[in-house]
Amino acid sequence: MDTVRVGIAGLGVVAQVVYLPLLARRRDIFRIAAVCDLDGGHAGMFGRELGVPAYDDPTTMLDRGGFDALLVLTPGSHGPLVRAALDRGHWVLCEKPLAYSRAELDGVPADRLMVGYMKQYDPAAQRLLEALHEAGGPSGIRHLDVTVLHPSDESQLLFARARPSRPALERLAPYVEADERALTAALGTPSERLRRLYSRVVLGSVCHDLSLMRLFAGPPDTVDHVAVWPADAFPPSVEVSGVLSGEGAGRFGLRWHYLHGYPAYQETVTLHHEHGSLELRFPSPYLLNAPTRLTVVSRVGTTERTTVHQDVAEAFERQLLAFHRFVTQDEPPLTGLGGGLEDIVTAQRIIRRYARWAGIPVSGECAEEGRGRPSSRTGRSDLVEESVDGPNGESVGNPFGGGAGGV
């Protein structure tokens, strides 16, 4: 098989705990050719260990080349770096979020870009797709339910002993400023809480569940309820509900809770359909080869049958294999530019729905997206489902919307 030479931009936790070990495991098809981190000393340490050139500036690394593909593992928005790599002819595997704004992706070529949503490649998620097809497909989903219990990252990473990257503030400043400009383009609000909710929670974590929803049923048709609480905590709890896409008119409910001292990460995704239920239970994403559990509940005659599937194949590794096929065989990824944009649009719809209830003005892309956008299910504008809740929690203009949570 062809060996793909990769450059790595960003040497933080996900690089150290996930990608570097897996690339070493799959040296049969990948070879690390360059590394980059804004902390030059940090990058140099890994460069020496790996025997490859190390850089403290991604543009310099891209200009000097010597690799076929770039893994974008940096924090914040990835839009500018993705564009720069694609413009230079590289293939790109970009960790979420792809970008903070749609404007960052205007004119970006789609043919060499893969967005890294590893849970889509989890063997349990793929088996759920098969079981859903056997049950009649997405149109048969009555309800898709997601619950995430998210402890602190520090508690999830106690085992990892990752080495911290500490770039100087002057090295970080241009990237922070670019992120702020992208957030202004996306939301048009100075509200720091709303900007952090969008970038750090919805696009920083909830997007994984949006990607699974998109894989199983497509992007949501409506977002008609968003609650955020408590008012004095960040990250907060977030609840979102609405109507799934397609003819089945099923609904979804998503609850994401940041609980600093919670014992262990838990994520449950359940699909209920006419003939049974399909449930995924994901472990912490940092535990390589820890299996996701798929439980299939069905009926055979008068018997309730429960089947459990567990596979220790690592989702991140399967994602890397898919990226290799993308580069060497032109096999399309599960999420490319189009899917990444759909998740940004859904994230903006979530923020717009909450901001309108909370009385926080938004503009930019977040406001523009709702103007006359037709519902795929009804053909009506989604401004109907964006109606504001009344003072007693009733939804004005949407009898099924429910009340939104506090600021």
Side-chain angles (χ1 to χ4, degrees), residues 206-268:
V206 175
C207 62
H208 276 298
D209 302 294
L210 300 181
S211 78
L212 288 172
M213 184 189 309
R214 180 166 44 79
L215 178 67
F216 300 145
D221 197 53
T222 70
V223 175
D224 47 41
H225 167 82
V226 178
V228 180
W229 77 98
D232 59 349
F234 195 92
S237 290
V238 178
E239 180 178 72
V240 183
S241 65
V243 178
L244 295 171
S245 62
E247 299 301 319
R251 292 188 62 85
F252 72 92
L254 189 157
R255 289 159 300 280
W256 186 94
H257 304 286
Y258 181 84
L259 306 168
H260 183 272
Y262 202 77
Y265 178 92
Q266 293 186 31
E267 179 178 2
T268 305

Short mmCIF file of all heavy atoms in Angstrom, two decimals, residues 206-268:
data_model
loop_
_atom_site.label_atom_id
_atom_site.label_comp_id
_atom_site.label_asym_id
_atom_site.label_seq_id
_atom_site.Cartn_x
_atom_site.Cartn_y
_atom_site.Cartn_z
N VAL A 206 -20.43 19.47 21.23
CA VAL A 206 -21.74 19.01 20.76
C VAL A 206 -21.72 18.66 19.28
O VAL A 206 -22.51 17.83 18.81
CB VAL A 206 -22.81 20.09 21.06
CG1 VAL A 206 -24.17 19.71 20.48
CG2 VAL A 206 -22.95 20.30 22.57
N CYS A 207 -20.78 19.24 18.54
CA CYS A 207 -20.70 18.96 17.10
C CYS A 207 -20.51 17.47 16.82
O CYS A 207 -20.93 16.98 15.76
CB CYS A 207 -19.58 19.77 16.46
SG CYS A 207 -17.94 19.38 17.09
N HIS A 208 -19.87 16.72 17.73
CA HIS A 208 -19.75 15.28 17.53
C HIS A 208 -21.13 14.63 17.44
O HIS A 208 -21.36 13.73 16.63
CB HIS A 208 -18.96 14.64 18.67
CG HIS A 208 -17.48 14.72 18.47
ND1 HIS A 208 -16.83 14.12 17.41
CD2 HIS A 208 -16.51 15.33 19.21
CE1 HIS A 208 -15.54 14.34 17.50
NE2 HIS A 208 -15.31 15.08 18.56
N ASP A 209 -22.06 15.09 18.28
CA ASP A 209 -23.40 14.52 18.26
C ASP A 209 -24.18 15.01 17.05
O ASP A 209 -25.00 14.28 16.49
CB ASP A 209 -24.12 14.87 19.56
CG ASP A 209 -23.36 14.34 20.76
OD1 ASP A 209 -23.26 13.11 20.90
OD2 ASP A 209 -22.82 15.15 21.54
N LEU A 210 -23.92 16.24 16.61
CA LEU A 210 -24.52 16.72 15.36
C LEU A 210 -24.04 15.87 14.19
O LEU A 210 -24.81 15.58 13.27
CB LEU A 210 -24.18 18.18 15.13
CG LEU A 210 -24.64 19.19 16.20
CD1 LEU A 210 -24.24 20.60 15.80
CD2 LEU A 210 -26.14 19.10 16.43
N SER A 211 -22.77 15.46 14.22
CA SER A 211 -22.24 14.64 13.12
C SER A 211 -22.88 13.26 13.12
O SER A 211 -23.13 12.68 12.05
CB SER A 211 -20.72 14.53 13.22
OG SER A 211 -20.30 13.59 14.19
N LEU A 212 -23.14 12.70 14.30
CA LEU A 212 -23.82 11.40 14.37
C LEU A 212 -25.26 11.52 13.90
O LEU A 212 -25.76 10.66 13.17
CB LEU A 212 -23.76 10.85 15.79
CG LEU A 212 -22.39 10.36 16.26
CD1 LEU A 212 -22.43 10.02 17.74
CD2 LEU A 212 -21.94 9.14 15.45
N MET A 213 -25.94 12.59 14.31
CA MET A 213 -27.31 12.81 13.84
C MET A 213 -27.34 12.91 12.32
O MET A 213 -28.20 12.33 11.65
CB MET A 213 -27.87 14.09 14.47
CG MET A 213 -29.33 14.36 14.12
SD MET A 213 -29.89 16.01 14.67
CE MET A 213 -29.40 16.01 16.39
N ARG A 214 -26.37 13.64 11.79
CA ARG A 214 -26.30 13.80 10.33
C ARG A 214 -26.03 12.46 9.64
O ARG A 214 -26.57 12.17 8.57
CB ARG A 214 -25.21 14.83 9.99
CG ARG A 214 -25.00 15.11 8.55
CD ARG A 214 -24.16 16.38 8.34
NE ARG A 214 -23.01 16.47 9.22
CZ ARG A 214 -21.87 15.81 9.05
NH1 ARG A 214 -21.74 14.99 8.01
NH2 ARG A 214 -20.87 15.96 9.90
N LEU A 215 -25.18 11.62 10.26
CA LEU A 215 -24.88 10.31 9.69
C LEU A 215 -26.12 9.42 9.68
O LEU A 215 -26.39 8.72 8.69
CB LEU A 215 -23.77 9.63 10.51
CG LEU A 215 -23.35 8.22 10.09
CD1 LEU A 215 -22.67 8.23 8.73
CD2 LEU A 215 -22.44 7.61 11.15
N PHE A 216 -26.89 9.42 10.77
CA PHE A 216 -28.02 8.52 10.90
C PHE A 216 -29.28 9.04 10.22
O PHE A 216 -30.05 8.27 9.66
CB PHE A 216 -28.33 8.27 12.38
CG PHE A 216 -27.20 7.66 13.16
CD1 PHE A 216 -26.97 8.00 14.48
CD2 PHE A 216 -26.34 6.75 12.56
CE1 PHE A 216 -25.92 7.44 15.20
CE2 PHE A 216 -25.28 6.19 13.26
CZ PHE A 216 -25.07 6.53 14.59
N ALA A 217 -29.51 10.36 10.28
CA ALA A 217 -30.80 10.89 9.83
C ALA A 217 -30.70 12.15 8.99
O ALA A 217 -31.73 12.64 8.52
CB ALA A 217 -31.69 11.16 11.05
N GLY A 218 -29.50 12.70 8.81
CA GLY A 218 -29.36 13.97 8.13
C GLY A 218 -29.39 15.12 9.12
O GLY A 218 -29.75 14.95 10.29
N PRO A 219 -29.00 16.34 8.69
CA PRO A 219 -29.06 17.50 9.60
C PRO A 219 -30.49 17.78 10.00
O PRO A 219 -31.43 17.46 9.25
CB PRO A 219 -28.47 18.63 8.76
CG PRO A 219 -28.65 18.20 7.34
CD PRO A 219 -28.56 16.70 7.34
N PRO A 220 -30.72 18.37 11.18
CA PRO A 220 -32.10 18.57 11.64
C PRO A 220 -32.88 19.51 10.74
O PRO A 220 -32.33 20.45 10.17
CB PRO A 220 -31.92 19.15 13.05
CG PRO A 220 -30.57 19.76 13.03
CD PRO A 220 -29.73 18.91 12.13
N ASP A 221 -34.18 19.25 10.67
CA ASP A 221 -35.06 20.11 9.88
C ASP A 221 -35.37 21.40 10.63
O ASP A 221 -35.44 22.47 10.04
CB ASP A 221 -36.35 19.36 9.57
CG ASP A 221 -37.13 20.00 8.45
OD1 ASP A 221 -36.54 20.22 7.38
OD2 ASP A 221 -38.32 20.29 8.64
N THR A 222 -35.57 21.31 11.95
CA THR A 222 -35.82 22.49 12.76
C THR A 222 -35.06 22.38 14.07
O THR A 222 -34.72 21.30 14.54
CB THR A 222 -37.32 22.67 13.10
OG1 THR A 222 -37.72 21.64 14.03
CG2 THR A 222 -38.20 22.59 11.87
N VAL A 223 -34.78 23.54 14.64
CA VAL A 223 -34.29 23.66 16.02
C VAL A 223 -35.30 24.55 16.72
O VAL A 223 -35.33 25.76 16.50
CB VAL A 223 -32.88 24.28 16.07
CG1 VAL A 223 -32.44 24.51 17.51
CG2 VAL A 223 -31.88 23.39 15.34
N ASP A 224 -36.18 23.96 17.55
CA ASP A 224 -37.27 24.76 18.10
C ASP A 224 -37.24 24.88 19.62
O ASP A 224 -38.18 25.43 20.20
CB ASP A 224 -38.64 24.24 17.63
CG ASP A 224 -38.79 22.74 17.74
OD1 ASP A 224 -38.33 22.17 18.76
OD2 ASP A 224 -39.36 22.14 16.82
N HIS A 225 -36.22 24.39 20.27
CA HIS A 225 -36.08 24.60 21.71
C HIS A 225 -34.61 24.50 22.08
O HIS A 225 -33.93 23.55 21.70
CB HIS A 225 -36.88 23.53 22.49
CG HIS A 225 -36.54 23.48 23.96
ND1 HIS A 225 -37.09 24.35 24.87
CD2 HIS A 225 -35.71 22.67 24.66
CE1 HIS A 225 -36.61 24.07 26.07
NE2 HIS A 225 -35.76 23.06 25.97
N VAL A 226 -34.12 25.51 22.80
CA VAL A 226 -32.76 25.48 23.33
C VAL A 226 -32.79 26.03 24.75
O VAL A 226 -33.36 27.10 24.99
CB VAL A 226 -31.78 26.32 22.48
CG1 VAL A 226 -30.38 26.30 23.09
CG2 VAL A 226 -31.72 25.81 21.04
N ALA A 227 -32.21 25.29 25.68
CA ALA A 227 -32.09 25.75 27.06
C ALA A 227 -30.62 25.70 27.46
O ALA A 227 -29.89 24.79 27.06
CB ALA A 227 -32.91 24.86 28.00
N VAL A 228 -30.20 26.69 28.24
CA VAL A 228 -28.82 26.77 28.73
C VAL A 228 -28.88 27.16 30.20
O VAL A 228 -29.49 28.16 30.55
CB VAL A 228 -27.99 27.81 27.94
CG1 VAL A 228 -26.57 27.87 28.46
CG2 VAL A 228 -27.98 27.47 26.45
N TRP A 229 -28.22 26.37 31.05
CA TRP A 229 -28.25 26.64 32.49
C TRP A 229 -27.09 25.92 33.16
O TRP A 229 -26.50 25.03 32.55
CB TRP A 229 -29.60 26.16 33.06
CG TRP A 229 -29.71 24.67 33.25
CD1 TRP A 229 -29.52 23.97 34.41
CD2 TRP A 229 -30.03 23.69 32.25
NE1 TRP A 229 -29.69 22.62 34.20
CE2 TRP A 229 -30.00 22.41 32.88
CE3 TRP A 229 -30.31 23.75 30.88
CZ2 TRP A 229 -30.24 21.23 32.19
CZ3 TRP A 229 -30.55 22.55 30.20
CH2 TRP A 229 -30.52 21.32 30.85
N PRO A 230 -26.72 26.28 34.39
CA PRO A 230 -27.15 27.45 35.17
C PRO A 230 -26.47 28.72 34.68
O PRO A 230 -25.46 28.67 33.98
CB PRO A 230 -26.69 27.08 36.59
CG PRO A 230 -25.52 26.18 36.40
CD PRO A 230 -25.80 25.40 35.14
N ALA A 231 -27.03 29.86 35.09
CA ALA A 231 -26.55 31.13 34.56
C ALA A 231 -25.15 31.48 35.04
O ALA A 231 -24.44 32.24 34.39
CB ALA A 231 -27.52 32.25 34.95
N ASP A 232 -24.74 30.94 36.19
CA ASP A 232 -23.46 31.34 36.78
C ASP A 232 -22.35 30.32 36.55
O ASP A 232 -21.32 30.35 37.22
CB ASP A 232 -23.62 31.58 38.28
CG ASP A 232 -24.12 30.34 39.02
OD1 ASP A 232 -24.54 29.38 38.34
OD2 ASP A 232 -24.11 30.34 40.26
N ALA A 233 -22.55 29.37 35.61
CA ALA A 233 -21.54 28.34 35.38
C ALA A 233 -21.14 28.31 33.91
O ALA A 233 -21.95 28.55 33.02
CB ALA A 233 -22.09 26.97 35.79
N PHE A 234 -19.87 28.02 33.69
CA PHE A 234 -19.39 27.76 32.33
C PHE A 234 -18.23 26.78 32.40
O PHE A 234 -17.33 26.96 33.21
CB PHE A 234 -18.92 29.05 31.62
CG PHE A 234 -18.79 28.85 30.15
CD1 PHE A 234 -19.84 29.12 29.30
CD2 PHE A 234 -17.62 28.33 29.60
CE1 PHE A 234 -19.73 28.90 27.94
CE2 PHE A 234 -17.50 28.09 28.26
CZ PHE A 234 -18.57 28.38 27.42
N PRO A 235 -18.27 25.73 31.58
CA PRO A 235 -19.32 25.38 30.62
C PRO A 235 -20.63 25.01 31.33
O PRO A 235 -20.59 24.44 32.43
CB PRO A 235 -18.75 24.16 29.88
CG PRO A 235 -17.27 24.23 30.11
CD PRO A 235 -17.11 24.81 31.47
N PRO A 236 -21.76 25.30 30.70
CA PRO A 236 -23.05 25.04 31.31
C PRO A 236 -23.63 23.71 30.83
O PRO A 236 -22.95 22.91 30.19
CB PRO A 236 -23.89 26.19 30.77
CG PRO A 236 -23.35 26.37 29.38
CD PRO A 236 -21.88 26.03 29.44
N SER A 237 -24.88 23.48 31.16
CA SER A 237 -25.67 22.42 30.53
C SER A 237 -26.43 23.01 29.35
O SER A 237 -26.85 24.17 29.39
CB SER A 237 -26.66 21.81 31.52
OG SER A 237 -26.00 21.05 32.52
N VAL A 238 -26.60 22.21 28.30
CA VAL A 238 -27.29 22.65 27.10
C VAL A 238 -28.31 21.59 26.70
O VAL A 238 -27.99 20.39 26.71
CB VAL A 238 -26.31 22.88 25.93
CG1 VAL A 238 -27.05 23.31 24.66
CG2 VAL A 238 -25.26 23.92 26.30
N GLU A 239 -29.50 22.04 26.36
CA GLU A 239 -30.55 21.13 25.88
C GLU A 239 -31.09 21.68 24.57
O GLU A 239 -31.40 22.87 24.45
CB GLU A 239 -31.67 21.03 26.91
CG GLU A 239 -32.80 20.11 26.51
CD GLU A 239 -33.85 20.03 27.60
OE1 GLU A 239 -34.58 21.02 27.77
OE2 GLU A 239 -33.92 19.00 28.29
N VAL A 240 -31.18 20.81 23.56
CA VAL A 240 -31.66 21.21 22.24
C VAL A 240 -32.66 20.18 21.76
O VAL A 240 -32.47 18.96 21.97
CB VAL A 240 -30.50 21.28 21.21
CG1 VAL A 240 -30.99 21.76 19.85
CG2 VAL A 240 -29.36 22.16 21.72
N SER A 241 -33.75 20.63 21.14
CA SER A 241 -34.68 19.68 20.53
C SER A 241 -35.27 20.27 19.27
O SER A 241 -35.23 21.48 19.04
CB SER A 241 -35.81 19.30 21.50
OG SER A 241 -36.62 20.42 21.79
N GLY A 242 -35.79 19.38 18.43
CA GLY A 242 -36.38 19.82 17.18
C GLY A 242 -36.84 18.64 16.36
O GLY A 242 -37.00 17.53 16.87
N VAL A 243 -37.05 18.87 15.07
CA VAL A 243 -37.57 17.87 14.15
C VAL A 243 -36.44 17.38 13.25
O VAL A 243 -35.65 18.17 12.75
CB VAL A 243 -38.72 18.45 13.29
CG1 VAL A 243 -39.24 17.41 12.30
CG2 VAL A 243 -39.85 18.94 14.19
N LEU A 244 -36.38 16.06 13.08
CA LEU A 244 -35.39 15.47 12.18
C LEU A 244 -35.77 15.73 10.73
O LEU A 244 -36.92 16.03 10.41
CB LEU A 244 -35.31 13.96 12.42
CG LEU A 244 -34.80 13.51 13.79
CD1 LEU A 244 -34.98 12.01 13.95
CD2 LEU A 244 -33.33 13.89 13.97
N SER A 245 -34.80 15.61 9.84
CA SER A 245 -35.07 15.80 8.42
C SER A 245 -35.75 14.56 7.86
O SER A 245 -35.79 13.50 8.48
CB SER A 245 -33.76 16.07 7.67
OG SER A 245 -32.89 14.96 7.78
N GLY A 246 -36.29 14.72 6.65
CA GLY A 246 -36.92 13.57 5.99
C GLY A 246 -38.41 13.52 6.19
O GLY A 246 -39.02 14.37 6.85
N GLU A 247 -39.01 12.45 5.65
CA GLU A 247 -40.47 12.32 5.64
C GLU A 247 -41.04 11.74 6.93
O GLU A 247 -42.23 11.82 7.17
CB GLU A 247 -40.89 11.44 4.46
CG GLU A 247 -40.51 12.01 3.10
CD GLU A 247 -41.12 13.38 2.86
OE1 GLU A 247 -42.30 13.56 3.22
OE2 GLU A 247 -40.42 14.25 2.32
N GLY A 248 -40.19 11.14 7.77
CA GLY A 248 -40.71 10.49 8.96
C GLY A 248 -41.17 11.44 10.04
O GLY A 248 -41.94 11.07 10.92
N ALA A 249 -40.70 12.70 10.00
CA ALA A 249 -41.06 13.72 10.98
C ALA A 249 -40.78 13.27 12.41
O ALA A 249 -41.48 13.63 13.34
CB ALA A 249 -42.54 14.12 10.83
N GLY A 250 -39.72 12.45 12.58
CA GLY A 250 -39.29 12.12 13.93
C GLY A 250 -38.65 13.33 14.58
O GLY A 250 -38.34 14.34 13.93
N ARG A 251 -38.45 13.25 15.88
CA ARG A 251 -37.87 14.35 16.62
C ARG A 251 -36.54 13.93 17.25
O ARG A 251 -36.25 12.73 17.34
CB ARG A 251 -38.82 14.84 17.72
CG ARG A 251 -40.08 15.52 17.17
CD ARG A 251 -40.89 16.15 18.29
NE ARG A 251 -40.14 17.20 18.98
CZ ARG A 251 -40.08 18.47 18.56
NH1 ARG A 251 -40.70 18.83 17.44
NH2 ARG A 251 -39.39 19.36 19.25
N PHE A 252 -35.77 14.92 17.67
CA PHE A 252 -34.53 14.65 18.38
C PHE A 252 -34.50 15.46 19.67
O PHE A 252 -35.13 16.52 19.78
CB PHE A 252 -33.31 14.98 17.52
CG PHE A 252 -33.05 16.46 17.33
CD1 PHE A 252 -32.22 17.15 18.20
CD2 PHE A 252 -33.65 17.15 16.29
CE1 PHE A 252 -31.98 18.51 18.03
CE2 PHE A 252 -33.42 18.51 16.11
CZ PHE A 252 -32.59 19.19 16.99
N GLY A 253 -33.77 14.96 20.64
CA GLY A 253 -33.51 15.67 21.88
C GLY A 253 -32.05 15.45 22.26
O GLY A 253 -31.57 14.32 22.23
N LEU A 254 -31.36 16.54 22.58
CA LEU A 254 -29.93 16.45 22.87
C LEU A 254 -29.67 17.20 24.17
O LEU A 254 -30.05 18.37 24.32
CB LEU A 254 -29.14 17.08 21.72
CG LEU A 254 -27.63 16.95 21.68
CD1 LEU A 254 -27.13 17.12 20.25
CD2 LEU A 254 -26.95 17.97 22.58
N ARG A 255 -29.01 16.53 25.12
CA ARG A 255 -28.66 17.14 26.40
C ARG A 255 -27.16 16.93 26.64
O ARG A 255 -26.69 15.79 26.61
CB ARG A 255 -29.46 16.52 27.55
CG ARG A 255 -30.93 16.92 27.53
CD ARG A 255 -31.78 15.96 28.30
NE ARG A 255 -31.70 14.62 27.73
CZ ARG A 255 -32.37 14.22 26.65
NH1 ARG A 255 -33.16 15.05 26.03
NH2 ARG A 255 -32.23 12.99 26.20
N TRP A 256 -26.47 18.03 26.85
CA TRP A 256 -25.02 18.02 27.07
C TRP A 256 -24.75 18.70 28.39
O TRP A 256 -25.11 19.86 28.59
CB TRP A 256 -24.33 18.76 25.94
CG TRP A 256 -22.83 18.73 25.93
CD1 TRP A 256 -22.02 17.86 25.26
CD2 TRP A 256 -21.94 19.64 26.61
NE1 TRP A 256 -20.69 18.16 25.48
CE2 TRP A 256 -20.61 19.25 26.30
CE3 TRP A 256 -22.14 20.74 27.45
CZ2 TRP A 256 -19.51 19.93 26.80
CZ3 TRP A 256 -21.03 21.42 27.95
CH2 TRP A 256 -19.73 21.00 27.61
N HIS A 257 -24.15 17.97 29.34
CA HIS A 257 -23.90 18.50 30.68
C HIS A 257 -22.41 18.47 30.98
O HIS A 257 -21.79 17.39 30.93
CB HIS A 257 -24.63 17.65 31.74
CG HIS A 257 -26.09 17.52 31.53
ND1 HIS A 257 -26.97 18.55 31.78
CD2 HIS A 257 -26.85 16.48 31.09
CE1 HIS A 257 -28.21 18.15 31.50
NE2 HIS A 257 -28.15 16.90 31.08
N TYR A 258 -21.85 19.63 31.31
CA TYR A 258 -20.49 19.66 31.82
C TYR A 258 -20.57 19.57 33.34
O TYR A 258 -21.12 20.46 34.00
CB TYR A 258 -19.78 20.94 31.40
CG TYR A 258 -18.34 20.99 31.90
CD1 TYR A 258 -17.33 20.37 31.17
CD2 TYR A 258 -18.01 21.63 33.09
CE1 TYR A 258 -16.01 20.38 31.62
CE2 TYR A 258 -16.70 21.65 33.54
CZ TYR A 258 -15.71 21.02 32.80
OH TYR A 258 -14.41 21.02 33.25
N LEU A 259 -20.03 18.50 33.90
CA LEU A 259 -20.08 18.21 35.33
C LEU A 259 -18.64 17.97 35.79
O LEU A 259 -18.12 16.86 35.63
CB LEU A 259 -20.97 17.00 35.61
CG LEU A 259 -22.39 17.11 35.03
CD1 LEU A 259 -23.10 15.76 35.08
CD2 LEU A 259 -23.20 18.16 35.76
N HIS A 260 -18.02 18.99 36.32
CA HIS A 260 -16.57 18.99 36.54
C HIS A 260 -16.09 17.76 37.29
O HIS A 260 -15.08 17.15 36.93
CB HIS A 260 -16.17 20.25 37.30
CG HIS A 260 -14.68 20.38 37.51
ND1 HIS A 260 -14.04 19.84 38.60
CD2 HIS A 260 -13.73 20.98 36.76
CE1 HIS A 260 -12.74 20.08 38.52
NE2 HIS A 260 -12.52 20.78 37.42
N GLY A 261 -16.80 17.35 38.33
CA GLY A 261 -16.35 16.24 39.16
C GLY A 261 -17.01 14.92 38.85
O GLY A 261 -16.91 13.98 39.67
N TYR A 262 -17.69 14.81 37.71
CA TYR A 262 -18.38 13.56 37.40
C TYR A 262 -17.37 12.42 37.26
O TYR A 262 -16.26 12.62 36.77
CB TYR A 262 -19.19 13.71 36.11
CG TYR A 262 -20.32 12.72 36.01
CD1 TYR A 262 -21.49 12.90 36.73
CD2 TYR A 262 -20.20 11.57 35.22
CE1 TYR A 262 -22.52 11.98 36.66
CE2 TYR A 262 -21.23 10.65 35.14
CZ TYR A 262 -22.39 10.86 35.87
OH TYR A 262 -23.41 9.94 35.81
N PRO A 263 -17.71 11.20 37.70
CA PRO A 263 -16.72 10.11 37.77
C PRO A 263 -16.08 9.74 36.45
O PRO A 263 -14.88 9.46 36.40
CB PRO A 263 -17.52 8.93 38.35
CG PRO A 263 -18.68 9.56 39.05
CD PRO A 263 -19.00 10.80 38.30
N ALA A 264 -16.86 9.70 35.36
CA ALA A 264 -16.31 9.26 34.08
C ALA A 264 -17.18 9.81 32.96
O ALA A 264 -18.38 9.99 33.12
CB ALA A 264 -16.24 7.74 33.99
N TYR A 265 -16.55 10.01 31.81
CA TYR A 265 -17.27 10.49 30.63
C TYR A 265 -18.31 9.46 30.19
O TYR A 265 -18.03 8.26 30.14
CB TYR A 265 -16.28 10.72 29.50
CG TYR A 265 -16.88 11.18 28.20
CD1 TYR A 265 -17.01 12.52 27.89
CD2 TYR A 265 -17.31 10.24 27.25
CE1 TYR A 265 -17.55 12.93 26.69
CE2 TYR A 265 -17.86 10.65 26.05
CZ TYR A 265 -17.98 12.00 25.77
OH TYR A 265 -18.52 12.41 24.58
N GLN A 266 -19.50 9.94 29.88
CA GLN A 266 -20.56 9.06 29.36
C GLN A 266 -21.26 9.76 28.21
O GLN A 266 -21.57 10.95 28.30
CB GLN A 266 -21.58 8.70 30.44
CG GLN A 266 -21.07 7.85 31.57
CD GLN A 266 -22.18 7.43 32.51
OE1 GLN A 266 -23.33 7.27 32.12
NE2 GLN A 266 -21.83 7.26 33.78
N GLU A 267 -21.54 9.03 27.17
CA GLU A 267 -22.31 9.54 26.03
C GLU A 267 -23.21 8.43 25.53
O GLU A 267 -22.74 7.34 25.20
CB GLU A 267 -21.39 10.01 24.91
CG GLU A 267 -22.14 10.54 23.70
CD GLU A 267 -21.19 11.05 22.62
OE1 GLU A 267 -19.96 10.95 22.80
OE2 GLU A 267 -21.69 11.52 21.58
N THR A 268 -24.51 8.71 25.52
CA THR A 268 -25.49 7.72 25.07
C THR A 268 -26.29 8.31 23.92
O THR A 268 -26.81 9.42 24.02
CB THR A 268 -26.46 7.34 26.21
OG1 THR A 268 -25.70 6.90 27.34
CG2 THR A 268 -27.40 6.23 25.77
#
